[in-house]
């Protein structure tokens, strides 16, 4: 894909993650205060239990319940090692390689990316834009400072 086209797709997908109506229309159960930016101390969390507890306190309990359901796929995909299907949950964008990446990777449906590795497929899986995305302050600063995905 062309560079300008790819960058424009990423910018459009980022813009869609900020609109609460678009995110809820996609099926995510987000709190009333969405969108918000996470504190930099969030990147220092190193235990999965701590990450889950904090996200439940932030109002993502319904989202966890929605994502934990594992459904048996219809059709021949069952025979081709794609038996189970799971909904996609929130995406976390961090500024650098940190302990949070290891801590949150075991939570079902949750993806974690460094800001320079953002792509349109992660921000809009299945070409359906409006994924619930949470950025840390440092990730936003790095996005602005390095002018990532701009011209």
């Amino acid at each position: 894909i062309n560079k300008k086209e790819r960058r424009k797709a990423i910018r459009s997908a980022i813009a869609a993650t900020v609109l609460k109506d678009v995110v809820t229309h996609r099926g995510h159960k987000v709190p009333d205060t969405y969108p918000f930016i996470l504190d930099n101390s969030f990147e220092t969390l190193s235990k999965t239990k701590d990450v889950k507890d904090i996200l439940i306190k932030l109002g993502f309990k319904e989202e966890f319940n929605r994502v934990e359901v594992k459904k048996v796929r219809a059709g021949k995909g069952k025979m081709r090692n794609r038996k189970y299907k799971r909904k996609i949950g929130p995406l976390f964008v961090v500024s650098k390689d940190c302990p949070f990446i290891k801590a949150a990777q075991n939570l079902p449906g949750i993806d974690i990316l460094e800001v320079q590795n953002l792509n349109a497929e992660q921000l809009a899986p299945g070409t359906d834009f409006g994924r619930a995305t949470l950025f840390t302050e440092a990730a936003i600063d790095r996005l602005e400072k390095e002018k990532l995905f701009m011209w």
Side-chain angles (χ1 to χ4, degrees):
I1 192 166
N2 300 332
K3 283 183 186 178
K4 284 185 180 179
E5 207 171 349
R6 180 180 60 83
R7 290 177 183 158
K8 189 172 185 176
I10 292 171
R11 285 194 306 268
S12 300
I14 289 173
T17 62
V18 178
L19 304 172
K20 185 179 178 193
D21 295 336
V22 175
V23 173
T24 54
H25 185 268
R26 190 178 186 283
H28 292 286
K29 309 282 187 208
V30 293
D32 295 333
T33 58
Y34 184 85
F36 49 86
I37 297 174
L38 301 172
D39 190 38
N40 287 336
S41 62
F42 209 80
E43 291 184 2
T44 61
L45 295 175
S46 59
K47 289 191 155 206
T48 305
K49 184 178 180 181
D50 295 339
V51 173
K52 187 171 182 176
D53 290 342
I54 288 176
L55 289 176
I56 288 173
K57 286 178 185 175
L58 288 174
F60 282 95
K61 184 176 176 116
E62 289 181 34
E63 183 71 8
F64 276 125
N65 294 338
R66 184 184 77 87
V67 169
E68 283 181 348
V69 175
K70 200 161 67 165
K71 179 184 155 197
V72 177
R73 183 186 303 264
K76 291 198 176 197
K78 290 187 295 249
M79 295 185 289
R80 297 177 180 152
N81 296 325
R82 297 185 301 265
K83 185 172 183 178
Y84 296 105
K85 194 172 181 180
R86 185 172 290 217
K87 300 215 182 266
I88 292 177
L91 172 70
F92 292 94
V93 181
V94 294
S95 63
K96 61 185 183 299
D97 191 19
C98 58
F100 175 72
I101 294 173
K102 283 271 198 190
Q105 72 184 5
N106 281 336
L107 294 172
I110 291 179
D111 293 321
I112 308 101
L113 283 177
E114 292 180 40
V115 70
Q116 75 270 9
N117 295 334
L118 276 176
N119 61 44
E121 180 59 34
Q122 289 290 332
L123 289 166
T127 67
D128 192 12
F129 59 89
R131 184 174 186 181
T133 307
L134 299 171
F135 290 88
T136 61
E137 287 179 24
I140 295 287
D141 291 341
R142 190 165 173 204
L143 195 65
E144 290 175 8
K145 196 179 293 181
E146 295 179 14
K147 297 186 190 248
L148 295 173
F149 313 115
M150 294 300 175
W151 310 105

